[in-house]
Amino acid sequence: MSRIGKLPINLPKGVEVKISDDNVLSVKGPKGELTRQIDPIISMKVEDGVLHFERPDDTKEHKALHGLYRALAHNMVVGVSEGFTTVQEVIGVGYKVQANGQVLEMDLGYSHKIYFELAPEIKVETVTEKGKNPIITMTSCDKETLGMAAAKIRSLRKPEPYKGKGIRFKGEEIRKKAGKAAAK
């Protein structure tokens, strides 16, 4: 059995789940609404405020899909009820970040500014305090879209291993290298 797939998903108050005839799962809650097409092999049912996933047999492919769709549905339920947040630090002398609506304007040590447009379902805030690193905080109900946006922002200036300059997630540890030894 897929250990993840057989776990039930408890639906919090205020979260509505609809399953259409063509296996489209719709989850609606206080933070937003998400939909996802589920493979027709996997069957879903809602009983007493609990969402269950079932598979027809124990083939390797069906086991994998069983766990996958249960995890995706769980992320949808958590997203519309609580939401997801990522926090990133911009570390480096002269590195700046500013949010203008859905566009991030960044100075990352290049000869030009970088403008990064975010998806409409992502809310972004930037905090710049004197003497501290600028911080980017993004929130959304869709974990997949949020994670992709955070990864693309990080890829604009990855943390380098010598001084640690770049964009990193809050609390991320970078293994630093010693650098060149002094000559005699």
Side-chain angles (χ1 to χ4, degrees):
M1 287 290 293
S2 167
R3 292 182 183 159
I4 293 175
K6 68 181 179 181
L7 294 174
I9 300 173
N10 295 320
L11 302 175
K13 289 193 177 196
V15 175
E16 297 176 21
V17 173
K18 292 181 186 172
I19 302 167
S20 67
D21 294 335
D22 53 343
N23 246 22
V24 175
L25 178 67
S26 298
V27 182
K28 187 175 183 179
K31 300 274 185 180
E33 183 174 359
L34 297 171
T35 59
R36 179 172 293 277
Q37 176 72 40
I38 305 292
D39 197 306
I41 292 170
I42 306 299
S43 61
M44 302 171 281
K45 62 182 177 183
V46 179
E47 293 177 344
D48 301 327
V50 178
L51 179 62
H52 296 279
F53 287 83
E54 295 174 358
R55 63 174 185 260
D57 55 32
D58 286 343
T59 61
K60 192 172 185 179
E61 180 185 1
H62 293 171
K63 285 181 183 180
L65 291 175
H66 190 210
L68 168 73
Y69 286 120
R70 190 267 176 202
L72 292 174
H74 182 261
N75 286 340
M76 292 168 66
V77 169
V78 172
V80 298
S81 61
E82 300 169 17
F84 294 101
T85 302
T86 62
V87 180
Q88 294 178 310
E89 289 181 288
V90 181
I91 299 171
V93 177
Y95 289 10
K96 298 175 190 166
V97 179
Q98 184 177 359
N100 296 326
Q102 290 300 103
V103 177
L104 277 177
E105 182 181 324
M106 297 179 269
D107 275 334
L108 300 175
Y110 297 115
S111 61
H112 58 284
K113 290 186 178 193
I114 298 172
Y115 298 95
F116 187 84
E117 188 169 353
L118 295 164
E121 59 265 11
I122 298 175
K123 293 176 182 62
V124 65
E125 294 177 5
T126 56
V127 177
T128 306
E129 295 179 14
K130 190 170 183 173
K132 294 186 179 180
N133 297 322
I135 293 177
I136 305 168
T137 305
M138 295 185 290
T139 58
S140 177
C141 63
D142 190 359
K143 187 176 186 179
E144 188 175 350
T145 306
L146 183 66
M148 285 175 39
K152 284 184 180 180
I153 290 171
R154 185 181 187 273
S155 72
L156 296 173
R157 181 64 99 171
K158 289 184 183 174
E160 53 95 18
Y162 295 101
K163 292 183 180 176
K165 294 175 14 174
I167 300 174
R168 68 171 80 161
F169 292 101
K170 188 84 171 179
E172 180 183 0
E173 293 292 324
I174 303 297
R175 286 182 18 186
K176 292 191 179 180
K177 293 183 178 179
K180 204 170 177 181
K184 289 187 177 183

